[in-house]
Structure formats: C-alpha cells, structure tokens
Amino acid sequence: MYKLVSFDVNGVLTPDLTMAKLAGLAGNYDKAVKILKLQTSGKKSLKNTFQELGKLTKDVSLKGSIEYSNKMPLTKGAEELIHTLIKNDCVMALNTTGYSLTMHVLNHRLKINNRLPFDIIACNILVFTKNNKKITERQLMCLIDEYFKYPNLKKFKGIKCNGTIKLNIDKESKKVSFIKKWSEILKVQLCEVVHVGDSIGDSEAIKFVAENNGLGIAFNPNKELQKFIKKQ
C-alpha cells in the first residue's frame, strides 16, 4: 500500500499552464507559453525560465491571481482521486515548479470536511509586494485563508507581483531531494512512494521512485518524457 503520493500540478491536477495563465493577467500569456514549452522539453533551464516568467508577471495583482487559481480547471477525476487518497490516509505532497500562491488556493479548493489534502507543498514562490515591502510566505497564506472567508477585503488592494520568483525548485533533481527528505521524516519506505508527473522535469523523480520499487507515473506525458521512459 502506498503511503506518500507526490504530485506535479501543471498537466497533472490541472490542464492549465498555471504560470502562463498568471502571466496572461499582464497580457503575456503567449510569451510565457513559449518559454515554458522550452523548459518542459528540456531546452531551457529552470533558472532562466523563471527569471523571464517573473518579468512577464510583474504588476499582476494578488487578488486577480487568487481569483484565477480559484477558478482554474481541474483535470477530470482529480478531485475524486484526491478525496479517495484522503479517505485512505495517504500523505499527499505537491512537488512542482508552480507557484505557492496557486498551490495554497488549490489546497483550499480540494479540502474535504475542513481537512486540507496536501500535507506538504514544495514549489516556487511568486513574490508580491505592497508599498515596496515584500509579503512573506506566511502572510500570503494568511491572506489566502482570509480570501476564502471574506473575498472583498480592502487589504488586497495594492498588493502586486514585483517581477521576481524565489526558486525552491531550481533544477529537476530537487523533486527527488524532496521525496527523499519527506520519506525520511515520515519514516515511509521508498517502495511506498508514488510520484506523478507529465514532463521531462519529472523524469528524475519518476525514475528514482520506480527504481526503488515505488510507483512512478507518467501521466499524459509530453514527447520528451515518453522518449526518456522508452530508453529506460
């Protein structure tokens, strides 16, 4: 029985390229899609990708970002899968290059009986500021919590992306590092771990889990990930 399930998000739990959608709020969706396609095909580094994406997302409002994340489409069957895993007491993690803002909103959307489904979130951070002062990650989480209770709070006014992104996942191998760390902390054997991903950015995590007798799932994989798997 699997005890820890690690999910990529873009292309797995949602069909959207969420980072491109957020850049689209600044009118830069097409530019962001081109950059992300280069990254997910292994032709552009994560560091360079997110430097450019940050600039394309500059001045996007926090409230607009939360509203998009709250309405983004979910992959068919994703909600049912998450709720089934909750009932089976699986620990679930979001292990993604997407933004913490979107992940925290997704966690709220998929909760059941007031339980947030994702116990662990490892992702990159889209930096927001108000009056040139950075909003901390804890402050961001509190604001998202408040949004779900009082969506029209005036305190959201003037909070915008400053055009930078803090990288917690700056290379594909970081997803493997997080899986190792979580397994050790939770005292879960690697054969009890699942990782689900869709692009070449998930190749190392899928391979690592599978080689340790866990379950690596290439969900609707892109061409580069398909080629990688065939070589194994």
Side-chain angles (χ1 to χ4, degrees):
M1 181 175 177
Y2 298 109
K3 296 180 180 179
L4 171 62
V5 183
S6 165
F7 287 100
D8 184 24
V9 175
N10 297 279
V12 175
L13 297 180
T14 174
D16 276 6
L17 285 172
T18 59
M19 297 87 85
K21 289 288 187 177
L22 289 171
L25 298 178
N28 294 317
Y29 176 76
D30 290 339
K31 291 180 182 178
V33 168
K34 289 179 182 179
I35 292 168
L36 284 164
K37 284 186 176 179
L38 288 172
Q39 183 266 312
T40 55
S41 64
K43 298 175 183 177
K44 195 177 190 69
S45 73
L46 281 167
K47 184 176 180 180
N48 289 337
T49 295
F50 283 94
Q51 283 179 340
E52 294 180 37
L53 287 176
K55 295 174 183 177
L56 295 178
T57 316
K58 192 175 188 297
D59 292 331
V60 167
S61 72
L62 174 61
K63 188 173 182 183
S65 301
I66 294 174
E67 288 173 343
Y68 155 71
S69 301
N70 195 33
K71 295 177 182 177
M72 71 179 181
L74 299 177
T75 301
K76 184 177 180 181
E79 187 168 5
E80 293 81 0
L81 171 61
I82 297 304
H83 289 172
T84 297
L85 291 173
I86 289 175
K87 292 173 184 176
N88 283 280
D89 293 322
C90 286
V91 175
M92 286 181 282
L94 296 177
N95 195 357
T96 173
T97 55
Y99 304 140
S100 62
L101 161 95
T102 304
M103 304 311 132
H104 292 312
V105 173
L106 180 63
N107 213 6
H108 273 278
R109 287 181 61 183
L110 291 174
K111 68 182 178 181
I112 182 170
N113 296 327
N114 290 318
R115 176 186 165 181
L116 297 174
F118 300 105
D119 305 280
I120 308 166
I121 297 177
C123 57
N124 294 323
I125 298 174
L126 187 63
V127 179
F128 288 88
T129 59
K130 185 172 185 177
N131 299 324
N132 295 318
K133 186 177 180 180
K134 286 185 180 180
I135 304 297
T136 67
E137 187 67 3
R138 179 167 288 279
Q139 288 172 328
L140 179 64
M141 290 176 67
C142 289
L143 285 165
I144 291 170
D145 288 343
E146 290 185 59
Y147 172 83
F148 279 90
K149 298 174 184 176
Y150 316 105
N152 295 314
L153 280 179
K154 291 183 179 179
K155 65 171 61 178
F156 289 102
K157 188 175 181 180
I159 303 178
K160 296 182 179 181
C161 174
N162 74 348
T164 63
I165 295 165
K166 179 183 176 182
L167 290 180
N168 291 322
I169 298 181
D170 57 358
K171 50 187 177 181
E172 285 75 7
S173 60
K174 280 289 184 69
K175 292 190 176 186
V176 174
S177 298
F178 281 123
I179 290 171
K180 288 180 180 178
K181 178 181 177 181
W182 300 333
S183 298
E184 291 172 3
I185 292 172
L186 296 167
K187 293 181 170 52
V188 171
Q189 297 182 47
L190 291 173
C191 63
E192 299 171 316
V193 176
V194 180
H195 180 74
V196 188
D198 73 312
S199 74
I200 196 66
D202 294 289
S203 58
E204 291 188 37
I206 289 171
K207 181 181 179 182
F208 172 76
V209 170
E211 286 180 341
N212 285 279
N213 298 314
L215 182 61
I217 299 175
F219 178 81
N220 193 23
N222 67 5
K223 290 181 180 179
E224 287 72 21
L225 182 55
Q226 290 180 41
K227 290 177 183 178
F228 174 84
I229 290 170
K230 287 177 181 178
K231 291 179 181 178
Q232 303 309 305

